[in-house]
Amino acid sequence: MSLPDAPLSLRQLSKAGLCIGCGACVGTQALPGASMALDAFGQFKPIGPAGFERARSTALARLCPFSPTATNEDELAAARFPAAPARDNRLGRLEAAYVGAVAEAPYRQQGSSGGMVSWVAAELLRRGLVDGVAHVSPSEGDMFFRYGISRTPESVLAGAKSRYYPVELSGVLKQIREVPGRYAIVGVPCFIKAVHLARAQEPVLAERIAYTLGLFCGHMKSARLVESFAWQMDTLADAVARPEFRLKGPERPANWYTAQLTLKDGTVRQKDWWHLGDGDWGAGFFQNSACNFCDDVVAETADISFGDAWVEPYSSDWRGTNVVVVRSPVLRELVEHAIGTGRLELKLAGADYVANTQAAGFRQRREGLAYRLTWRRRGIKPRKRVTPSRDLPFQRKLIYRLRYAISAWSHRLFYLARRQHAPALYIGWAHAALRLYHGLAYGRGRIGALARALRLTRGDG
Ligand SMILES: Cc1cc2nc3c(=O)[nH]c(=O)nc-3n(C[C@H](O)[C@H](O)[C@H](O)COP(=O)(O)OP(=O)(O)OC[C@H]3O[C@@H](n4cnc5c(N)ncnc54)[C@H](O)[C@@H]3O)c2cc1C
């Protein structure tokens, strides 16, 4: 049930750490005169005329995906998929779920995982179901990647791969309003939720945005991740022409992330995430604060959503393998037809199987969120589908506290190190924080031995 329509200001949402920087408010005029820019921590935030952030607005309260008064994921999904034959409290409503990859070349080779996102987006264009696909591609200028609209399958493919980098929707929402046609949008769960909240406010967006393609999500990273990788590969972000977050090759399993920086002088540097101080995804470095209050791992409001099959034998298969949750009957037909003709190599998977591929994500966004919701907070309170609870083992509480602290302090320490031109300040801290996290979460190293002796770890991250 939605709460009363209380107006909210951007300042209230930001002070509560709830602005993810999706840009939906700017793209829909919920914040007139505002635009999107990176803040001091390298995260997108709306900027605008003096005092604009203090103005309370009902439109903003209804539109922001982290607003406590906006329609929630269950309500959106119930309206969008009323006839879905199955419902799961982790995956949401669904027609069917699958595990596998694209058989048709070169999608799997060029994708981060099994290539399914780019294939479905391209197929929507090939079948004439949409005229354009809003997704994230490499870009020139001040940002390495940004949202744009692809109108050919080739252009969709050129944007393949996951970009753990800040992006925002305001530009593509404006383009969709200006240029008639039918569109698909690819995005992480909160972005897809924002798109549906925007569709609910603007009939033209509702009519033109015909399909939403969701990405499972661990959390959003700031732009500082690339800068930090550059420091740790003995260069500077200014020297980087093109970052890649996940290289693919027979020499490394899919879950062995390798970052690569192609520099402007043409040289290439690489490092495995394991060897980077902030390279453990689970530790939460550079995580956007709003992600602490997310309860949607798998884009429950999207017509179809995609993740990595993080279970064996797939996590070791270097080619990459998707898990896919289909919620729209039209897309189920499209996928089933392609399985039948050998273009997709997918087999049906149960809800438990798919949820298990994201076990750590669900722990953080269910048990961890329930715990975080019990913490004292100033300002507006998030409204989530998870009931606040302190009923969890002490060691789990420690891990959630530590992860929260790492994500908050990574922004501040990096800011300081950047200002002082002192990479060692941040990198030294990051390695120490990671050792502590690995000790507590996995019982590794000397801290792990101590944590085991004190019964402070169960080694499950
Ligand atoms: C920030 C982030 C966190 C993620 N966390 C998880 C997770 O915890 N668990 C999991 O299983 N999967 C996660 N994913 C999804 C995963 O990385 C793959 O994107 C997914 O499995 C699809 O792979 P693919 O080979 O089918 O896609 P590809 O064919 O490689 O296509 C990827 C598509 O996503 C678009 N895209 C890339 N980056 C972004 C972005 N930042 N925002 C919006 N669109 C983008 C591209 O433009 C392209 O259209 C995450 C993705 C992102 C961007």
Side-chain angles (χ1 to χ4, degrees), residues 112-113 115-118 135-136 159 161-163 216 218 308 358:
S112 269
S113 180
M116 279 295 296
V117 177
S118 302
H135 68 137
V136 172
K161 291 194 171 58
S162 307
R163 313 302 185 180
F216 291 14
D308 283 278
Q358 309 296 317

Side-chain angles (χ1 to χ4, degrees), residues 149-410:
I149 297 186
S150 286
R151 293 180 183 276
T152 63
E154 294 73 30
S155 163
V156 165
L157 198 54
K161 291 194 171 58
S162 307
R163 313 302 185 180
Y164 306 125
Y165 191 76
V167 290
E168 54 87 15
L169 289 165
S170 65
V172 288
L173 289 177
K174 285 178 188 162
Q175 281 184 56
I176 290 171
R177 190 181 301 106
E178 279 161 18
V179 184
R182 281 163 68 80
Y183 295 88
I185 295 197
V186 180
V188 292
C190 54
F191 279 44
I192 298 294
K193 179 183 180 187
V195 164
H196 291 303
L197 294 171
R199 290 173 78 245
Q201 289 197 21
E202 276 195 55
V204 68
L205 293 179
E207 187 193 306
R208 291 183 185 172
I209 300 173
Y211 294 97
T212 46
L213 279 54
L215 303 175
F216 291 14
C217 185
H219 56 256
M220 289 273 292
K221 297 282 190 192
S222 79
R224 303 298 178 239
L225 185 71
V226 173
E227 293 186 35
S228 168
F229 283 4
W231 277 355
Q232 294 176 74
M233 293 187 212
D234 300 319
T235 184
L236 294 173
D238 285 347
V240 176
R242 193 159 33 88
E244 288 297 340
F245 298 91
R246 291 166 62 174
L247 286 188
K248 226 177 214 187
E251 67 286 0
R252 60 179 77 81
N255 62 356
W256 184 339
Y257 283 17
T258 303
Q260 175 174 289
L261 303 179
T262 305
L263 304 189
K264 288 175 183 158
D265 65 9
T267 59
V268 170
R269 304 195 181 188
Q270 280 183 9
K271 219 167 196 174
D272 295 334
W273 282 50
W274 309 125
H275 298 129
L276 295 160
D278 36 23
D280 182 329
W281 188 274
F285 286 91
F286 300 118
Q287 180 199 282
N288 189 301
S289 62
C291 305
N292 284 312
F293 298 100
C294 161
D295 59 13
D296 181 2
V297 177
V298 298
E300 293 174 43
T301 66
D303 292 301
I304 184 166
S305 38
F306 311 85
D308 283 278
W310 291 140
V311 287
E312 291 300 345
Y314 303 118
S315 0
S316 303
D317 185 338
W318 68 270
R319 297 169 301 166
T321 308
N322 284 118
V323 275
V324 182
V325 179
V326 186
R327 302 190 182 83
S328 131
V330 175
L331 291 184
R332 182 179 188 172
E333 186 279 323
L334 179 146
V335 165
E336 294 281 350
H337 183 264
I339 295 171
T341 52
R343 298 170 72 201
L344 298 179
E345 248 175 57
L346 294 178
K347 57 184 186 197
L348 282 167
D352 288 341
Y353 183 90
V354 174
N356 193 36
T357 67
Q358 309 296 317
F362 279 110
R363 271 198 301 277
Q364 166 75 354
R365 256 75 62 75
R366 292 294 192 271
E367 182 189 67
L369 174 59
Y371 179 48
R372 288 188 293 280
L373 289 172
T374 66
W375 300 355
R376 277 159 67 104
R377 296 172 54 77
R378 275 180 298 171
I380 56 170
K381 298 218 170 352
R383 183 179 65 111
K384 305 294 8 167
R385 298 170 297 162
V386 169
T387 311
S389 169
R390 285 197 182 85
D391 187 16
L392 65 164
F394 180 62
Q395 56 266 49
R396 298 294 320 160
K397 290 182 181 169
L398 272 184
I399 290 171
Y400 296 126
R401 290 271 180 191
L402 180 59
R403 192 176 284 150
Y404 187 90
I406 288 176
S407 76
W409 281 98
S410 57

